[in-house]
Amino acid sequence: GIAAGIVQQSYKTEKFDVEDPNDPLLRGLTTTERSPILEFSLLSQLKEFSIGASIKNPHRPELGGSKLPLIANVGLNYQIKPNLVSAISFEEKLEEESFIYYSLGAEYKASRNLDCRVGLRSGELTGEILPQELTFGVGWWFPSAKLLTSRLRLDYAFLYPLSTIGGAGATSHRFS
């Protein structure tokens, strides 16, 4: 498949309360920058295994004066039981200092409409191999909405950092 989008970055320095509006950090940031984003992906399924791969930013667009990194992803999932799936994925941002991040997870289909998830992710910010984030999530499938797909889905994820920042209450909630 192919996914495309636009990333937009804009600053309106006239809204800032600053002492020196000619500060080099703020000068020239009143314009809006846009950059196209592309992603190519491939998915294959063999019995209870599925494997996928994607490449994001193959054209290395520029945003904010620097090029966005080329990001490569590979993932594998295994259907343990009809209602239980485990997954592992690897992501590498191909920059000067490259590091492979991983994610491990499982999804349990509790009912026809309810999925429950748990996962771990290695440290993107810290560059450590040990898990740096714990996630819990649920997904709710709505009955046929007759849209582009046969069913509409709402997902929620709670992300808890396993570093010292987690102890300060720095958690995240995501809906999709």
Side-chain angles (χ1 to χ4, degrees), residues 39 65 92 124 159 169:
E39 183 173 357
E92 183 172 13
E124 183 174 344
L159 293 81

Side-chain angles (χ1 to χ4, degrees), residues 2-6 35-40 55-59 61 71:
I2 299 174
I6 295 176
S35 179
I37 303 295
L38 292 174
E39 183 173 357
F40 301 98
I55 295 177
K56 191 173 188 178
N57 305 327
H59 60 301
I71 301 172

Side-chain angles (χ1 to χ4, degrees), residues 1 8 18 24 35-36 42 50 54 56 61 66 77 92 94-95 97 103 138 143 146 149 159 163 166-167:
Q8 179 175 313
V18 294
S35 179
L42 171 69
S50 294
S54 71
K56 191 173 188 178
S66 61
N77 75 17
E92 183 172 13
L94 303 169
E95 298 179 293
E97 291 186 27
S103 298
V138 293
K146 296 190 179 185
T149 61
L159 293 81
S163 61

Side-chain angles (χ1 to χ4, degrees), residues 46-91:
L46 304 165
K47 295 188 180 183
E48 60 272 352
F49 286 97
S50 294
I51 188 166
S54 71
I55 295 177
K56 191 173 188 178
N57 305 327
H59 60 301
R60 302 285 317 270
E62 193 169 308
L63 186 66
S66 61
K67 289 186 178 252
L68 294 178
L70 175 67
I71 301 172
N73 290 294
V74 175
L76 173 73
N77 75 17
Y78 174 68
Q79 188 157 0
I80 300 168
K81 294 181 178 182
N83 61 345
L84 183 61
V85 175
S86 63
I88 185 168
S89 67
F90 300 93
E91 176 182 293

Side-chain angles (χ1 to χ4, degrees), residues 1 18 32 34 60 75 123 131 136 139 156 163 167 174:
V18 294
T32 299
R34 292 182 183 90
R60 302 285 317 270
F136 299 97
Y156 165 76
S163 61
R174 294 183 186 165

Side-chain angles (χ1 to χ4, degrees), residues 83 108-116:
N83 61 345
Y108 175 71
K109 189 156 197 62
S111 71
R112 181 173 175 251
N113 294 4
L114 180 65
D115 297 333
C116 300

